[in-house]
Amino acid sequence: MTAAHTAVLALGSNLGDREATIRAAVHEIGELPGVVLVAASGLVETPALKPEGVDTDAPAYLNAVVAVTTLLDPHELLEALHGIERHHGRVRDIQWGDRTLDLDIITFGRETINSPGLTVPHPRAADRDFVLAPWAQIDPDAELPGRGPIAQLITQAPTPYPAEPLL
């Protein structure tokens, strides 16, 4: 029998009805076979982030974080998340481009994964306050493996964002 793992997932959307998309995605994540939704954060609105920095000309993002337990392995979970993204019209033609839905695995237990298409912990999570702030809502004592307590990482993040209740 496969052991259950806890995973932290980040959700983001900057195209279309962002809030409805994120709410639907949270529901769909909880409906995946072998996945149980444990907690969901509030929504955080942030400007679009591109490789060269903040892009105030692009539509703003709504972001959230959920915690799940899963019997899926990390690659199966990622494939299931990609299916939810496709269901919501996600197109992967421009890296860092605007998107209807972006789902990322931030952590998968305490595992470290470096494989094609999947790096866990997420390599930029420690620098993304739009991940850290909602994550702190659902688990203030959480730690990002290899980087430390998220409460400490938030103090080093560029901008704190208030989070509105999601569920």
Side-chain angles (χ1 to χ4, degrees):
M1 181 171 190
T2 304
H5 294 275
T6 300
V8 175
L9 313 175
L11 301 87
S13 175
N14 78 329
L15 295 176
D17 188 339
R18 304 168 305 158
E19 183 174 346
T21 298
I22 289 177
R23 287 182 184 278
V26 168
H27 176 77
E28 291 165 30
I29 289 167
E31 295 294 315
L32 290 171
V35 175
V36 175
L37 183 65
V38 175
S41 74
L43 293 168
V44 176
E45 185 169 38
T46 60
L49 184 61
K50 306 290 173 117
E52 53 282 344
V54 172
D55 182 354
T56 55
D57 293 329
Y61 273 86
L62 281 185
N63 301 280
V65 168
V66 298
V68 301
T69 57
T70 182
L71 297 174
L72 301 176
D73 75 35
H75 292 92
E76 291 171 330
L77 179 59
L78 182 62
E79 184 54 38
L81 296 176
H82 284 171
I84 293 171
E85 287 178 340
R86 286 189 298 274
H87 174 78
H88 288 279
R90 170 75 187 265
V91 177
R92 292 180 178 274
D93 56 353
I94 300 172
Q95 187 176 16
W96 293 65
D98 297 332
R99 55 200 68 165
T100 55
L101 183 62
D102 184 33
L103 301 175
D104 289 323
I105 300 174
I106 303 302
T107 63
F108 193 87
R110 304 257 338 141
E111 289 189 37
T112 299
I113 303 164
N114 288 302
S115 64
L118 182 59
T119 302
V120 174
H122 191 287
R124 292 173 297 282
D127 302 320
R128 293 182 168 174
D129 41 4
F130 56 85
V131 170
L132 298 171
W135 187 4
Q137 277 189 351
I138 63 173
D139 188 358
D141 298 322
E143 289 196 23
L144 182 61
R147 297 300 298 268
I150 61 170
Q152 180 181 348
L153 295 171
I154 288 171
T155 66
Q156 301 163 4
T159 308
Y161 296 102
E164 297 299 323
L166 179 61
L167 299 176

